[in-house]
Amino acid sequence: FNKTRSYSKPGCYKAMLVIWNLVSRVVLFAPVEVIEAITKAQLKAVHSKYSAQPGTAGRGLAGKTFPLEYPVSFAVTTDTGSCLRYDWFYGDFSALRNVSSHVTSHAYPLPGSYDVEVNINNSLGEHNLRLSIALQYSVMGLYLTSSGHGKPGENLTLFVFCLSMGNNSQFVLDSGEGYNITIGNSQNNTFAKAEKRFIDQNINLPFDPSDYYAIAYRHVYSSEGVFKAQVWGWNNASQQSARTSVVITKKSVPVLLVRLIGGKKSLLNITSQLYGKAFTLSTQVEILSNERHSVKFKWRVFKADSYHFSMSSSQTQLPPESGREIR
């Protein structure tokens, strides 16, 4: 029995032959390789699916700097080539050999520069591609709050908290008046470990400040109004921002006591909820005043997915807030 087949395009195929009669049946397979030479092969590195911007290039001038906290994805593209096999060398003495996938991801144990190499081959030849990437600790967990309302001409303190300051990071604050103030960087000890005893008890934080670094910036607002303060922190691997509203008025403003009911301040050890079951969050506010006041609530909902690989610290790493906010 013979059969002639013309394939319309190159590729690796599996031919199947079925032989049967009334009492039996046999299925046979045979690999068929329609080989095409490799041309114009390229290697690129992108953010992995675990990061906040999956599939995008890295940061820095060459777009090849990535956060250490997440794996890096690598992909090979070719104009032509079939039945390809790949040998991946990640630059940290790890390798993945003789695989058919043109895409791979790798988590690195330490910050620094790494030379990644891939060998692409089939029976008509091979190509070797190289790429250099850099890994840095990224800015994570940035948070901004104020010591409360203030009056024009008086000092008001803005507190900036940061869980991970990253490598060679810069931090800039806009008090809401339209100009930026450099408040420090991660190299000169501008930030210090936050301690509960140094923080105003009227400031309600959604985290344990002892896990964070903090800096206090004193600012004087010259006029009344509601100011949208914002802080940015960035390095070659990441960029984060946080914001808060500051009320400046000559009028005495009552102290608001706001409680979140139904949730927890920490994402660690939180009770799991059954998928598909309704889960209610509500707030409770107490206003100590003899006057009438209107209160507006704005909810922000975040994904709490985390990524943590065994060679990193024992602390769970959360994705950047900009990548987790869903509502």
Side-chain angles (χ1 to χ4, degrees):
F1 177 81
N2 295 290
K3 176 67 177 177
T4 301
R5 167 74 179 179
S6 295
Y7 290 88
S8 60
K9 58 182 180 180
C12 290
Y13 301 92
K14 182 187 288 186
M16 180 177 69
L17 173 64
V18 181
I19 308 169
W20 77 95
N21 59 18
L22 294 178
V23 295
S24 63
R25 186 175 186 269
V26 176
V27 180
L28 303 176
F29 295 94
V32 179
E33 294 185 352
V34 184
I35 300 297
E36 183 181 44
I38 306 166
T39 60
K40 293 186 179 179
Q42 290 184 325
L43 172 62
K44 66 176 182 179
V46 296
H47 283 275
S48 71
K49 64 180 181 180
Y50 300 100
S51 72
Q53 302 91 24
T56 61
R59 295 178 59 85
L61 294 177
K64 298 176 182 176
T65 303
F66 296 89
L68 176 70
E69 291 84 358
Y70 308 106
V72 181
S73 288
F74 304 97
V76 170
T77 57
T78 60
D79 280 7
T80 61
S82 62
C83 301
L84 302 178
R85 306 296 294 180
Y86 301 85
D87 294 320
W88 294 94
F89 305 93
Y90 299 110
D92 62 349
F93 305 103
S94 299
L96 183 63
R97 299 175 184 270
N98 195 29
V99 295
S100 60
S101 176
H102 71 286
V103 177
T104 184
S105 294
H106 185 66
Y108 288 87
L110 296 170
S113 298
Y114 296 90
D115 293 323
V116 182
E117 182 178 350
V118 60
N119 174 269
I120 319 162
N121 63 85
N122 62 14
S123 59
L124 293 181
E126 65 178 31
H127 277 246
N128 284 285
L129 303 175
R130 291 189 176 184
L131 178 68
S132 294
I133 62 169
L135 278 297
Q136 287 187 343
Y137 286 106
S138 58
V139 179
M140 302 182 77
L142 198 61
Y143 190 85
L144 175 65
T145 188
S146 68
S147 56
H149 68 280
K151 294 183 177 181
E154 295 183 354
N155 271 323
L156 184 139
T157 304
L158 294 169
F159 292 94
V160 179
F161 295 89
C162 190
L163 178 63
S164 171
M165 297 178 61
N167 302 115
N168 303 315
S169 306
Q170 300 290 326
F171 295 86
V172 169
L173 175 69
D174 178 2
S175 62
E177 297 176 303
Y179 57 90
N180 295 334
I181 306 156
T182 300
I183 59 174
N185 58 61
S186 59
Q187 304 301 110
N188 61 7
N189 297 323
T190 308
F191 283 72
K193 266 293 187 180
E195 295 186 33
K196 288 182 179 179
R197 59 193 179 97
F198 294 135
I199 299 173
D200 191 330
Q201 296 302 309
N202 291 323
I203 299 177
N204 185 23
L205 300 173
F207 51 80
D208 183 353
S210 61
D211 293 332
Y212 282 66
Y213 296 91
I215 185 172
Y217 176 77
R218 295 188 180 276
H219 186 72
V220 176
Y221 291 89
S222 59
S223 60
E224 292 184 279
V226 179
F227 297 88
K228 305 294 184 181
Q230 191 164 2
V231 64
W232 295 269
W234 73 91
N235 60 11
N236 283 338
S238 62
Q239 179 175 334
Q240 286 287 288
S241 65
R243 58 191 181 272
T244 191
S245 296
V246 181
V247 177
I248 304 298
T249 178
K250 295 177 182 178
K251 187 176 181 179
S252 296
V253 178
V255 176
L256 300 181
L257 178 60
V258 181
R259 294 188 180 93
L260 179 64
I261 303 171
K264 293 187 177 182
K265 292 183 179 180
S266 174
L267 293 176
L268 303 179
N269 302 322
I270 193 167
T271 304
S272 299
Q273 300 296 321
L274 182 64
Y275 178 76
K277 183 180 179 181
F279 178 62
T280 302
L281 289 174
S282 60
T283 54
Q284 175 181 306
V285 61
E286 295 178 13
I287 303 177
L288 305 178
S289 175
N290 295 324
E291 302 180 20
R292 292 174 63 90
H293 298 273
S294 63
V295 180
K296 180 180 179 181
F297 292 96
K298 182 178 180 181
W299 288 85
R300 296 176 66 193
V301 181
F302 298 89
K303 291 182 180 178
D305 302 286
S306 63
Y307 177 74
H308 167 69
F309 54 95
S310 59
M311 296 187 71
S312 68
S313 67
S314 59
Q315 187 174 19
T316 301
Q317 300 288 354
L318 294 178
E321 277 75 7
S322 58
R324 293 193 293 129
E325 188 170 356
I326 59 176
R327 186 180 304 169

